Amino acid sequence: MCFDQDAANEAIAANIGIRHSDMARRVCAAVEHFITSALYASSNREVVGGTANVGGVTVRVPLQCFAIMADSRPHQVVHTRGRVGVREVVQRARLDEAARHGIEEGAINKGFNDHLGNADCQFGGWQQLGRIDEGGQWVTLGIN
């Protein structure tokens, strides 16, 4: 497969309004991980989302390539692939940036899974964000 990660990173960075910030750095790192995961996904359906029945409503479930490690249990994964996706990670970055500027969480329009509030975007800290490698071992993404 021919893919230019540098060109993808440039395109991502060019479309983020606040360039030299924690939010931009976090979003770029998360999207880079998502793109890499999508390249190696087993099918297009896995990337764009298969369907699931949620409360009687058919919804898309996109590639969820982020794992979250428990605070109190080092290297024990709480959420594994299929639980946390790029949009939840980006929303968390948006919420952190808003909080840094004193903007209340409720003022940020999430735009997806509104029925969950921001509960699906919460994790203990950026150092807890990672992935599970091919051998089933925890690997941090190094986002802080």
Side-chain angles (χ1 to χ4, degrees):
M1 175 179 285
C2 180
F3 180 75
D4 186 347
Q5 184 68 51
D6 292 333
N9 291 345
E10 247 180 74
I12 294 161
N15 286 293
I16 296 176
I18 306 170
R19 299 235 172 125
H20 302 288
S21 68
D22 287 340
M23 184 180 88
R25 187 175 39 74
R26 289 170 176 162
V27 168
C28 286
V31 172
E32 182 175 342
H33 174 66
F34 175 81
I35 289 169
T36 301
S37 297
L39 284 172
Y40 297 106
S42 59
S43 70
N44 284 342
R45 177 176 295 237
E46 188 177 354
V47 177
V48 298
T51 58
N53 185 324
V54 178
V57 176
T58 301
V59 297
R60 290 250 171 233
V61 182
L63 179 62
Q64 310 247 309
C65 54
F66 296 91
I68 310 250
M69 184 172 49
D71 282 330
S72 59
R73 297 166 282 174
H75 302 291
Q76 183 172 353
V77 176
V78 175
H79 297 295
T80 58
R81 191 165 171 259
R83 295 299 209 116
V84 183
V86 70
R87 63 187 184 179
E88 289 84 6
V89 174
V90 169
Q91 176 67 2
R92 170 65 189 266
R94 293 174 70 214
L95 293 171
D96 286 355
E97 187 73 11
R100 202 182 100 185
H101 294 286
I103 300 169
E104 289 188 29
E105 192 174 288
I108 306 299
N109 181 10
K110 184 176 172 188
F112 65 94
N113 291 346
D114 291 324
H115 64 288
L116 297 175
N118 285 312
D120 57 338
C121 305
Q122 301 302 323
F123 44 90
W126 287 95
Q127 66 279 5
Q128 289 181 273
L129 197 62
R131 66 179 179 85
I132 307 301
D133 71 10
E134 299 79 22
Q137 297 299 308
W138 169 260
V139 178
T140 183
L141 294 181
I143 301 173
N144 58 24

Short mmCIF file of all heavy atoms in Angstrom, two decimals, residues 90-143:
data_model
loop_
_atom_site.label_atom_id
_atom_site.label_comp_id
_atom_site.label_asym_id
_atom_site.label_seq_id
_atom_site.Cartn_x
_atom_site.Cartn_y
_atom_site.Cartn_z
N VAL A 90 -10.24 13.22 20.55
CA VAL A 90 -10.23 14.62 20.11
C VAL A 90 -11.15 15.46 20.99
O VAL A 90 -10.81 16.58 21.38
CB VAL A 90 -10.62 14.74 18.61
CG1 VAL A 90 -10.87 16.18 18.21
CG2 VAL A 90 -9.53 14.11 17.75
N GLN A 91 -12.31 14.93 21.34
CA GLN A 91 -13.22 15.66 22.22
C GLN A 91 -12.56 15.91 23.58
O GLN A 91 -12.68 16.99 24.14
CB GLN A 91 -14.54 14.91 22.40
CG GLN A 91 -15.51 15.55 23.38
CD GLN A 91 -16.06 16.90 22.93
OE1 GLN A 91 -15.76 17.41 21.86
NE2 GLN A 91 -16.87 17.51 23.78
N ARG A 92 -11.83 14.93 24.09
CA ARG A 92 -11.13 15.11 25.37
C ARG A 92 -10.11 16.25 25.24
O ARG A 92 -9.97 17.07 26.14
CB ARG A 92 -10.46 13.81 25.80
CG ARG A 92 -9.51 13.94 26.97
CD ARG A 92 -10.24 14.35 28.27
NE ARG A 92 -9.30 14.67 29.30
CZ ARG A 92 -8.87 13.83 30.22
NH1 ARG A 92 -9.30 12.60 30.24
NH2 ARG A 92 -8.00 14.23 31.12
N ALA A 93 -9.40 16.31 24.12
CA ALA A 93 -8.43 17.39 23.89
C ALA A 93 -9.15 18.74 23.86
O ALA A 93 -8.67 19.73 24.42
CB ALA A 93 -7.65 17.16 22.59
N ARG A 94 -10.31 18.78 23.23
CA ARG A 94 -11.10 20.02 23.17
C ARG A 94 -11.55 20.44 24.57
O ARG A 94 -11.50 21.62 24.93
CB ARG A 94 -12.32 19.82 22.27
CG ARG A 94 -11.97 19.61 20.81
CD ARG A 94 -13.20 19.26 19.99
NE ARG A 94 -14.07 20.40 19.88
CZ ARG A 94 -15.40 20.33 19.83
NH1 ARG A 94 -16.00 19.15 19.88
NH2 ARG A 94 -16.13 21.41 19.73
N LEU A 95 -12.01 19.46 25.36
CA LEU A 95 -12.47 19.76 26.72
C LEU A 95 -11.32 20.26 27.59
O LEU A 95 -11.50 21.20 28.37
CB LEU A 95 -13.11 18.51 27.35
CG LEU A 95 -14.41 18.04 26.72
CD1 LEU A 95 -14.81 16.69 27.29
CD2 LEU A 95 -15.51 19.06 26.88
N ASP A 96 -10.16 19.65 27.46
CA ASP A 96 -8.99 20.10 28.23
C ASP A 96 -8.60 21.53 27.86
O ASP A 96 -8.28 22.34 28.72
CB ASP A 96 -7.80 19.17 28.01
CG ASP A 96 -7.95 17.84 28.72
OD1 ASP A 96 -8.93 17.65 29.47
OD2 ASP A 96 -7.07 16.98 28.52
N GLU A 97 -8.64 21.83 26.57
CA GLU A 97 -8.29 23.19 26.11
C GLU A 97 -9.32 24.20 26.62
O GLU A 97 -8.96 25.28 27.07
CB GLU A 97 -8.23 23.22 24.58
CG GLU A 97 -7.71 24.51 24.00
CD GLU A 97 -6.22 24.73 24.18
OE1 GLU A 97 -5.49 23.81 24.56
OE2 GLU A 97 -5.78 25.87 23.91
N ALA A 98 -10.59 23.84 26.56
CA ALA A 98 -11.64 24.73 27.07
C ALA A 98 -11.46 24.98 28.56
O ALA A 98 -11.55 26.13 29.02
CB ALA A 98 -13.02 24.12 26.80
N ALA A 99 -11.19 23.92 29.32
CA ALA A 99 -11.00 24.07 30.77
C ALA A 99 -9.80 24.96 31.07
O ALA A 99 -9.83 25.78 32.00
CB ALA A 99 -10.80 22.70 31.41
N ARG A 100 -8.77 24.84 30.29
CA ARG A 100 -7.57 25.68 30.46
C ARG A 100 -7.89 27.16 30.33
O ARG A 100 -7.26 28.01 30.95
CB ARG A 100 -6.53 25.26 29.42
CG ARG A 100 -5.13 25.67 29.82
CD ARG A 100 -4.17 25.28 28.75
NE ARG A 100 -3.96 26.54 28.04
CZ ARG A 100 -3.27 26.70 26.96
NH1 ARG A 100 -2.71 25.69 26.40
NH2 ARG A 100 -3.13 27.86 26.40
N HIS A 101 -8.90 27.48 29.54
CA HIS A 101 -9.30 28.87 29.31
C HIS A 101 -10.54 29.26 30.11
O HIS A 101 -11.13 30.31 29.87
CB HIS A 101 -9.53 29.11 27.82
CG HIS A 101 -8.28 28.99 27.01
ND1 HIS A 101 -7.28 29.94 27.01
CD2 HIS A 101 -7.84 27.99 26.20
CE1 HIS A 101 -6.30 29.56 26.24
NE2 HIS A 101 -6.61 28.38 25.74
N GLY A 102 -10.95 28.39 31.02
CA GLY A 102 -12.09 28.70 31.89
C GLY A 102 -13.45 28.57 31.24
O GLY A 102 -14.43 29.13 31.72
N ILE A 103 -13.53 27.84 30.16
CA ILE A 103 -14.80 27.62 29.46
C ILE A 103 -15.43 26.35 30.01
O ILE A 103 -14.78 25.31 30.09
CB ILE A 103 -14.58 27.49 27.94
CG1 ILE A 103 -13.95 28.78 27.41
CG2 ILE A 103 -15.89 27.16 27.23
CD1 ILE A 103 -13.46 28.67 25.98
N GLU A 104 -16.69 26.43 30.39
CA GLU A 104 -17.37 25.27 30.95
C GLU A 104 -17.57 24.18 29.91
O GLU A 104 -17.81 24.45 28.74
CB GLU A 104 -18.73 25.68 31.52
CG GLU A 104 -18.60 26.51 32.78
CD GLU A 104 -19.94 26.75 33.43
OE1 GLU A 104 -20.85 25.90 33.28
OE2 GLU A 104 -20.07 27.79 34.09
N GLU A 105 -17.51 22.94 30.38
CA GLU A 105 -17.66 21.77 29.52
C GLU A 105 -18.96 21.80 28.72
O GLU A 105 -19.00 21.41 27.56
CB GLU A 105 -17.60 20.53 30.41
CG GLU A 105 -17.46 19.24 29.68
CD GLU A 105 -17.27 18.07 30.61
OE1 GLU A 105 -16.19 17.95 31.20
OE2 GLU A 105 -18.22 17.28 30.74
N GLY A 106 -20.02 22.25 29.33
CA GLY A 106 -21.33 22.28 28.67
C GLY A 106 -21.38 23.23 27.48
O GLY A 106 -22.28 23.13 26.65
N ALA A 107 -20.43 24.14 27.38
CA ALA A 107 -20.42 25.11 26.27
C ALA A 107 -19.80 24.53 25.00
O ALA A 107 -19.87 25.14 23.94
CB ALA A 107 -19.65 26.36 26.68
N ILE A 108 -19.21 23.33 25.11
CA ILE A 108 -18.56 22.70 23.96
C ILE A 108 -19.54 21.73 23.30
O ILE A 108 -19.99 20.77 23.92
CB ILE A 108 -17.29 21.93 24.40
CG1 ILE A 108 -16.33 22.83 25.18
CG2 ILE A 108 -16.60 21.29 23.21
CD1 ILE A 108 -15.83 24.03 24.40
N ASN A 109 -19.86 21.97 22.03
CA ASN A 109 -20.77 21.10 21.29
C ASN A 109 -20.02 19.86 20.85
O ASN A 109 -19.12 19.93 20.03
CB ASN A 109 -21.34 21.84 20.08
CG ASN A 109 -22.32 20.98 19.30
OD1 ASN A 109 -22.72 19.91 19.74
ND2 ASN A 109 -22.69 21.46 18.13
N LYS A 110 -20.40 18.75 21.42
CA LYS A 110 -19.71 17.48 21.14
C LYS A 110 -19.98 17.00 19.72
O LYS A 110 -19.06 16.65 19.01
CB LYS A 110 -20.16 16.44 22.17
CG LYS A 110 -19.48 15.12 22.07
CD LYS A 110 -19.96 14.24 23.21
CE LYS A 110 -19.47 12.84 23.08
NZ LYS A 110 -20.07 11.96 24.05
N GLY A 111 -21.23 16.91 19.32
CA GLY A 111 -21.58 16.54 17.96
C GLY A 111 -21.69 15.05 17.68
O GLY A 111 -21.90 14.66 16.54
N PHE A 112 -21.52 14.20 18.67
CA PHE A 112 -21.71 12.76 18.50
C PHE A 112 -22.04 12.16 19.87
O PHE A 112 -21.68 12.72 20.89
CB PHE A 112 -20.46 12.07 17.91
CG PHE A 112 -19.26 12.13 18.82
CD1 PHE A 112 -18.99 11.08 19.70
CD2 PHE A 112 -18.41 13.22 18.82
CE1 PHE A 112 -17.89 11.13 20.55
CE2 PHE A 112 -17.32 13.28 19.66
CZ PHE A 112 -17.05 12.23 20.53
N ASN A 113 -22.74 11.06 19.87
CA ASN A 113 -23.12 10.37 21.12
C ASN A 113 -23.55 11.36 22.21
O ASN A 113 -23.18 11.23 23.37
CB ASN A 113 -21.97 9.51 21.65
CG ASN A 113 -21.70 8.31 20.80
OD1 ASN A 113 -22.49 7.94 19.94
ND2 ASN A 113 -20.56 7.69 21.01
N ASP A 114 -24.38 12.33 21.82
CA ASP A 114 -24.80 13.36 22.77
C ASP A 114 -25.54 12.78 23.97
O ASP A 114 -25.49 13.34 25.06
CB ASP A 114 -25.68 14.40 22.06
CG ASP A 114 -24.87 15.23 21.07
OD1 ASP A 114 -23.70 15.53 21.36
OD2 ASP A 114 -25.42 15.58 20.01
N HIS A 115 -26.18 11.64 23.78
CA HIS A 115 -26.92 11.01 24.89
C HIS A 115 -25.98 10.55 26.01
O HIS A 115 -26.41 10.34 27.13
CB HIS A 115 -27.74 9.83 24.37
CG HIS A 115 -26.92 8.71 23.82
ND1 HIS A 115 -26.25 8.79 22.62
CD2 HIS A 115 -26.64 7.49 24.33
CE1 HIS A 115 -25.60 7.67 22.40
NE2 HIS A 115 -25.81 6.85 23.43
N LEU A 116 -24.68 10.44 25.74
CA LEU A 116 -23.72 10.01 26.75
C LEU A 116 -23.05 11.19 27.46
O LEU A 116 -22.27 10.98 28.39
CB LEU A 116 -22.61 9.15 26.11
CG LEU A 116 -23.06 7.84 25.48
CD1 LEU A 116 -21.88 7.16 24.79
CD2 LEU A 116 -23.66 6.92 26.53
N GLY A 117 -23.36 12.39 27.02
CA GLY A 117 -22.62 13.53 27.57
C GLY A 117 -21.16 13.37 27.18
O GLY A 117 -20.86 12.97 26.06
N ASN A 118 -20.26 13.66 28.11
CA ASN A 118 -18.84 13.47 27.82
C ASN A 118 -18.28 12.25 28.55
O ASN A 118 -17.06 12.08 28.62
CB ASN A 118 -18.06 14.73 28.20
CG ASN A 118 -18.27 15.83 27.18
OD1 ASN A 118 -18.16 15.59 25.98
ND2 ASN A 118 -18.59 17.02 27.64
N ALA A 119 -19.15 11.41 29.06
CA ALA A 119 -18.70 10.24 29.81
C ALA A 119 -17.81 9.32 28.96
O ALA A 119 -16.89 8.70 29.48
CB ALA A 119 -19.90 9.46 30.34
N ASP A 120 -18.08 9.23 27.65
CA ASP A 120 -17.28 8.35 26.80
C ASP A 120 -15.94 8.97 26.40
O ASP A 120 -15.13 8.33 25.74
CB ASP A 120 -18.07 7.94 25.55
CG ASP A 120 -18.56 9.12 24.73
OD1 ASP A 120 -18.67 10.23 25.27
OD2 ASP A 120 -18.85 8.92 23.54
N CYS A 121 -15.70 10.21 26.82
CA CYS A 121 -14.46 10.92 26.48
C CYS A 121 -13.55 11.10 27.70
O CYS A 121 -12.58 11.85 27.65
CB CYS A 121 -14.78 12.29 25.89
SG CYS A 121 -15.88 12.22 24.48
N GLN A 122 -13.86 10.44 28.78
CA GLN A 122 -13.10 10.61 30.01
C GLN A 122 -12.10 9.49 30.21
O GLN A 122 -12.42 8.33 30.00
CB GLN A 122 -14.06 10.66 31.21
CG GLN A 122 -15.07 11.78 31.15
CD GLN A 122 -14.45 13.16 31.03
OE1 GLN A 122 -13.43 13.45 31.63
NE2 GLN A 122 -15.08 14.01 30.25
N PHE A 123 -10.90 9.85 30.55
CA PHE A 123 -9.90 8.90 31.00
C PHE A 123 -8.99 9.65 31.95
O PHE A 123 -8.96 10.87 31.98
CB PHE A 123 -9.14 8.24 29.84
CG PHE A 123 -8.69 9.16 28.74
CD1 PHE A 123 -7.46 9.79 28.78
CD2 PHE A 123 -9.50 9.38 27.64
CE1 PHE A 123 -7.05 10.61 27.75
CE2 PHE A 123 -9.10 10.20 26.59
CZ PHE A 123 -7.87 10.83 26.66
N GLY A 124 -8.28 8.92 32.78
CA GLY A 124 -7.52 9.50 33.89
C GLY A 124 -6.48 10.52 33.48
O GLY A 124 -6.31 11.52 34.14
N GLY A 125 -5.78 10.30 32.42
CA GLY A 125 -4.75 11.23 31.99
C GLY A 125 -4.20 10.80 30.64
O GLY A 125 -4.36 9.66 30.22
N TRP A 126 -3.56 11.71 29.97
CA TRP A 126 -3.06 11.44 28.62
C TRP A 126 -2.02 10.33 28.61
O TRP A 126 -1.90 9.60 27.62
CB TRP A 126 -2.53 12.72 27.99
CG TRP A 126 -3.65 13.62 27.64
CD1 TRP A 126 -4.16 14.64 28.39
CD2 TRP A 126 -4.47 13.55 26.48
NE1 TRP A 126 -5.23 15.21 27.76
CE2 TRP A 126 -5.44 14.56 26.58
CE3 TRP A 126 -4.47 12.73 25.36
CZ2 TRP A 126 -6.40 14.77 25.60
CZ3 TRP A 126 -5.43 12.94 24.38
CH2 TRP A 126 -6.38 13.95 24.51
N GLN A 127 -1.27 10.18 29.71
CA GLN A 127 -0.27 9.11 29.76
C GLN A 127 -0.92 7.73 29.81
O GLN A 127 -0.27 6.73 29.58
CB GLN A 127 0.67 9.30 30.96
CG GLN A 127 0.03 9.16 32.30
CD GLN A 127 -0.72 10.40 32.78
OE1 GLN A 127 -0.85 11.39 32.06
NE2 GLN A 127 -1.23 10.34 34.00
N GLN A 128 -2.22 7.66 30.11
CA GLN A 128 -2.94 6.39 30.14
C GLN A 128 -3.42 5.94 28.77
O GLN A 128 -3.92 4.84 28.63
CB GLN A 128 -4.14 6.49 31.05
CG GLN A 128 -3.80 6.56 32.51
CD GLN A 128 -5.07 6.63 33.31
OE1 GLN A 128 -5.60 7.70 33.53
NE2 GLN A 128 -5.55 5.47 33.71
N LEU A 129 -3.29 6.80 27.78
CA LEU A 129 -3.78 6.49 26.44
C LEU A 129 -2.73 5.66 25.71
O LEU A 129 -1.57 6.04 25.64
CB LEU A 129 -4.05 7.79 25.69
CG LEU A 129 -4.92 7.71 24.47
CD1 LEU A 129 -6.31 7.20 24.82
CD2 LEU A 129 -5.02 9.08 23.82
N GLY A 130 -3.14 4.53 25.18
CA GLY A 130 -2.18 3.67 24.49
C GLY A 130 -2.86 2.73 23.52
O GLY A 130 -3.97 2.98 23.05
N ARG A 131 -2.18 1.63 23.27
CA ARG A 131 -2.69 0.60 22.37
C ARG A 131 -2.18 -0.75 22.85
O ARG A 131 -1.29 -0.83 23.69
CB ARG A 131 -2.23 0.85 20.94
CG ARG A 131 -0.73 0.73 20.76
CD ARG A 131 -0.32 0.98 19.30
NE ARG A 131 1.11 0.89 19.14
CZ ARG A 131 1.78 -0.25 18.95
NH1 ARG A 131 1.12 -1.39 18.89
NH2 ARG A 131 3.07 -0.27 18.81
N ILE A 132 -2.75 -1.78 22.31
CA ILE A 132 -2.32 -3.13 22.60
C ILE A 132 -1.58 -3.62 21.35
O ILE A 132 -2.14 -3.57 20.26
CB ILE A 132 -3.52 -4.06 22.90
CG1 ILE A 132 -4.39 -3.47 24.01
CG2 ILE A 132 -3.03 -5.45 23.25
CD1 ILE A 132 -3.69 -3.24 25.31
N ASP A 133 -0.34 -4.05 21.51
CA ASP A 133 0.42 -4.49 20.34
C ASP A 133 0.03 -5.90 19.92
O ASP A 133 -0.83 -6.53 20.54
CB ASP A 133 1.93 -4.35 20.57
CG ASP A 133 2.49 -5.35 21.58
OD1 ASP A 133 1.78 -6.29 21.98
OD2 ASP A 133 3.67 -5.18 21.95
N GLU A 134 0.68 -6.38 18.87
CA GLU A 134 0.35 -7.69 18.30
C GLU A 134 0.52 -8.82 19.30
O GLU A 134 -0.14 -9.85 19.22
CB GLU A 134 1.22 -7.97 17.05
CG GLU A 134 1.04 -6.98 15.93
CD GLU A 134 1.80 -5.67 16.17
OE1 GLU A 134 2.78 -5.64 16.95
OE2 GLU A 134 1.39 -4.66 15.60
N GLY A 135 1.42 -8.63 20.27
CA GLY A 135 1.66 -9.66 21.29
C GLY A 135 0.77 -9.52 22.50
O GLY A 135 0.95 -10.22 23.49
N GLY A 136 -0.18 -8.57 22.44
CA GLY A 136 -1.10 -8.37 23.55
C GLY A 136 -0.53 -7.52 24.67
O GLY A 136 -1.10 -7.44 25.76
N GLN A 137 0.60 -6.83 24.42
CA GLN A 137 1.24 -6.02 25.46
C GLN A 137 0.82 -4.55 25.33
O GLN A 137 0.58 -4.05 24.24
CB GLN A 137 2.78 -6.11 25.31
CG GLN A 137 3.31 -7.51 25.52
CD GLN A 137 3.02 -8.02 26.91
OE1 GLN A 137 3.31 -7.36 27.90
NE2 GLN A 137 2.43 -9.20 26.99
N TRP A 138 0.77 -3.89 26.47
CA TRP A 138 0.42 -2.46 26.55
C TRP A 138 1.57 -1.63 25.98
O TRP A 138 2.72 -1.84 26.30
CB TRP A 138 0.19 -2.07 28.00
CG TRP A 138 0.08 -0.61 28.19
CD1 TRP A 138 1.06 0.23 28.62
CD2 TRP A 138 -1.04 0.21 27.92
NE1 TRP A 138 0.60 1.52 28.62
CE2 TRP A 138 -0.69 1.53 28.20
CE3 TRP A 138 -2.33 -0.07 27.45
CZ2 TRP A 138 -1.57 2.59 28.05
CZ3 TRP A 138 -3.21 0.98 27.29
CH2 TRP A 138 -2.82 2.29 27.59
N VAL A 139 1.22 -0.65 25.11
CA VAL A 139 2.19 0.30 24.57
C VAL A 139 1.58 1.68 24.71
O VAL A 139 0.50 1.96 24.18
CB VAL A 139 2.49 0.03 23.07
CG1 VAL A 139 3.46 1.05 22.53
CG2 VAL A 139 3.01 -1.38 22.87
N THR A 140 2.26 2.57 25.43
CA THR A 140 1.75 3.94 25.57
C THR A 140 1.93 4.69 24.26
O THR A 140 2.86 4.41 23.50
CB THR A 140 2.45 4.69 26.72
OG1 THR A 140 1.85 5.98 26.85
CG2 THR A 140 3.94 4.86 26.46
N LEU A 141 1.05 5.63 23.99
CA LEU A 141 1.17 6.45 22.78
C LEU A 141 2.09 7.64 23.01
O LEU A 141 2.46 8.34 22.08
CB LEU A 141 -0.20 6.93 22.31
CG LEU A 141 -1.14 5.83 21.82
CD1 LEU A 141 -2.44 6.43 21.34
CD2 LEU A 141 -0.50 5.02 20.71
N GLY A 142 2.42 7.90 24.26
CA GLY A 142 3.33 9.00 24.57
C GLY A 142 2.71 10.38 24.43
O GLY A 142 3.42 11.36 24.25
N ILE A 143 1.40 10.46 24.48
CA ILE A 143 0.72 11.76 24.41
C ILE A 143 0.62 12.29 25.83
O ILE A 143 0.19 11.60 26.74
CB ILE A 143 -0.68 11.62 23.80
CG1 ILE A 143 -0.62 11.03 22.40
CG2 ILE A 143 -1.39 12.98 23.77
CD1 ILE A 143 -1.99 10.72 21.80
#
